[in-house]
Amino acid sequence: MRKVLVIAYLYPPIFNSGTRRSLEFVNHLPDHGWTPTVLTVDSPDPKDCDASLLDEVRPGTRIERAPLWTRHMAPRIAAKFASVIDPQRLAGAIEWRVRRFWNVPDECASWIPMAVEHAVRLHAAEPFDAIYATGWPWSSFLVAEKLSRRIGVPFVIDYRDLWKPAEVEWDKTTWLQRRLNPGLERRVLRAASGVIATTESFLGLLPQELLPKNRFFITNGFDEDDFPAAAPAPADDQVRIVYTGVWRPGYGPDDLYAAVRLLKERGLSSLARLNIVVAGYAPGPAREYGIDDIVEERGRVQHAEATALMSGASVLYLPVSKGVYEHASMPGKLFEYLGSGRPILASAQPVSEVAKTLTQVGGACRADPGDVEALADILARLCESGPASIFSPRIPSELAMYTRANLTGKLALALDAIVQHPRSAA
């Protein structure tokens, strides 16, 4: 068994869509000849955590945690002034101010020195054969690059998103980040022995002249154990549409809400059959849209409850982020939706990674983002005739390639490749 250090800031108990990729890769890597050690952050903010996620970690997984420098040093500095000011209050003030300015490449920057030193000690005690780092945060990439220079072990970086700004409302960067991050990304790419991206479009958007020969396209996926058996479909007289995920500017179920409101204003009689259940954000928007008699907003839920909602749906709703992600990305939830076996109604561009995958796997239909009229027409047909009148069956042979076990096999091959053909740091 070869050994790999997995640098994953987003790892249980942190509750984030990016957590699942690193969690599932780590869970399945031992089945493909690699023993992972996870390096993640110590004491993440409780508001970002879900302790139940720790129950999903494979027994025996080695998890090492390094603190943010600010969280490690602020109490020590504050203790020196305990005689004149409350040390807890001063520590909080120091940490907040330092993190505010130490934010290149991102707000996790103060994790870099602590993570590198911790990893060097781990390697000295039990050497690694390879390093895998996943981003966001891009600080994980810098940890991998610095560590590789220190210990001489090749590393591969995994782009779940694009490092360069996507020019969307939720992807905000500071002036200093826009100025310095491109140079940091180039430095990492020059030193990397391999690059992974979740879509082929992402690979194409990276600076081609800097990419190593080891380039890999590994999508997100689903774990078959999350959907052990098909849940009973809703009664024939009901159409239940489920959305699980966040709602932020440029990404969320706003088209769906607007389409339901439109049908309600038109007085569609069959709308009484429609029930929409959403989870992942604070309740309130349904009331603002005047559709809270149709939409049930459950707030943030644990992953097991989210997959149960998916399995019990008539149809699953999938939006896609605006900007470059509209064409180039595939949300992680797409693959869990596929794994649930339920039909998918997507607001997605016709020429996009999402549309291509849905066409390949089947069992889906699509409306253009922002085309509320078209989406309302689809909803009306669902209410009047049911899902069978719209959706074709899913293709099992195409679906199988997106299981986490199969995708981790591709990751193992990528790790094998960078060990056999590393590219030395510049």
Side-chain angles (χ1 to χ4, degrees):
M1 295 282 283
R2 286 173 165 169
K3 296 180 175 63
V4 58
L5 179 67
V6 175
I7 302 171
Y9 189 97
L10 299 182
Y11 193 78
I14 295 178
F15 182 88
N16 185 284
S17 58
T19 299
R20 295 226 65 83
R21 184 170 174 89
S22 50
L23 168 64
E24 299 293 354
F25 276 159
V26 168
N27 282 351
H28 289 285
L29 271 172
D31 302 324
H32 296 275
W34 283 88
T35 299
T37 295
V38 180
L39 178 59
T40 189
V41 69
D42 188 27
S43 303
D45 194 326
K47 69 179 177 59
D48 298 327
C49 294
D50 177 358
S52 70
L53 287 173
L54 292 168
D55 297 333
E56 299 186 43
V57 176
R58 180 171 177 152
T61 299
R62 183 180 182 184
I63 304 172
E64 295 287 336
R65 299 185 181 275
L68 297 167
W69 184 93
T70 50
R71 194 159 294 166
H72 175 71
M73 291 302 299
R76 298 187 179 194
I77 297 171
K80 298 181 183 297
F81 301 92
S83 60
V84 294
I85 190 171
D86 176 23
Q88 186 173 357
R89 180 180 176 186
L90 179 59
I94 292 172
E95 182 181 359
W96 177 79
R97 283 170 174 79
V98 173
R99 288 192 69 181
R100 180 182 177 186
F101 293 101
W102 192 356
N103 64 358
V104 175
D106 47 52
E107 59 265 36
C108 306
S110 73
W111 186 58
I112 297 171
M114 306 301 291
V116 170
E117 292 305 320
H118 194 87
V120 168
R121 292 192 294 271
L122 292 174
H123 179 73
E126 192 171 349
F128 304 108
D129 298 290
I131 301 165
Y132 161 89
T134 179
W136 188 90
W138 313 116
S139 292
S140 298
F141 286 10
L142 293 181
V143 172
E145 185 265 340
K146 290 175 180 291
L147 178 62
S148 179
R149 290 179 183 273
R150 291 274 297 272
I151 66 177
V153 172
F155 71 98
V156 60
I157 53 175
D158 178 25
Y159 281 87
R160 297 192 318 272
D161 298 299
L162 289 173
W163 192 336
K164 64 181 181 181
E167 307 304 332
V168 292
E169 184 66 25
W170 54 266
D171 189 18
K172 293 293 187 183
T173 54
T174 67
W175 175 88
L176 198 58
Q177 288 168 346
R178 290 192 296 273
R179 176 92 177 200
L180 298 181
N181 279 3
L184 293 174
E185 182 176 22
R186 289 193 295 270
R187 190 179 84 189
V188 169
L189 287 172
R190 288 191 186 101
S193 291
V195 172
I196 299 169
T198 54
T199 71
E200 290 179 296
S201 294
F202 275 9
L203 277 178
L205 290 169
L206 298 176
Q208 301 298 299
E209 73 280 4
L210 298 178
L211 296 186
K213 290 183 180 180
N214 293 319
R215 309 173 188 184
F216 310 94
F217 159 49
I218 306 178
T219 69
N220 285 304
F222 67 92
D223 194 324
E224 294 169 294
D225 292 341
D226 289 338
F227 306 97
D236 291 340
D237 62 346
Q238 184 184 33
V239 176
R240 182 182 301 128
I241 296 178
V242 168
Y243 169 74
T244 62
V246 299
W247 191 339
R248 60 193 180 196
Y251 179 66
D254 24 356
D255 283 359
L256 178 64
Y257 277 44
V260 173
R261 180 172 61 188
L262 180 60
L263 293 177
K264 187 175 180 179
E265 291 171 349
R266 290 175 176 174
L268 181 71
S269 59
S270 58
L271 194 62
R273 296 184 61 195
L274 184 63
N275 168 232
I276 295 176
V277 181
V278 298
Y281 52 87
R287 181 177 295 276
E288 295 174 13
Y289 275 78
I291 56 174
D292 49 319
D293 55 329
I294 300 171
V295 179
E296 177 188 351
E297 296 175 326
R298 296 198 179 179
R300 186 168 131 174
V301 300
Q302 294 183 347
H303 183 249
E305 185 177 347
T307 55
L309 285 173
M310 296 176 202
S311 296
S314 309
V315 177
L316 297 165
Y317 178 68
L318 179 75
V320 181
S321 289
K322 300 296 188 287
V324 66
Y325 289 105
E326 207 162 26
H327 302 277
S329 74
M330 288 191 283
K333 109 165 101 290
L334 164 62
F335 300 96
E336 290 197 314
Y337 278 11
L338 291 175
S340 74
R342 298 309 190 197
I344 297 173
L345 170 58
S347 290
Q349 294 287 356
V351 181
S352 65
E353 294 281 359
V354 167
K356 181 171 67 174
T357 300
L358 291 177
T359 300
Q360 168 200 357
V361 178
C365 71
R366 183 197 60 77
D368 288 345
D371 193 342
V372 174
E373 286 277 358
L375 190 58
D377 288 344
I378 295 172
L379 294 179
R381 288 171 58 196
L382 283 171
C383 292
E384 291 162 3
S385 306
S389 65
I390 296 177
F391 297 97
S392 61
R394 194 148 289 147
I395 305 170
S397 60
E398 297 291 343
L399 185 63
M401 65 188 295
Y402 296 116
T403 64
R404 295 285 189 184
N406 284 342
L407 294 168
T408 307
K410 296 178 70 175
L411 175 59
L413 291 176
L415 295 173
D416 290 340
I418 71 164
V419 170
Q420 293 165 8
H421 305 286
R423 184 169 79 176
S424 299

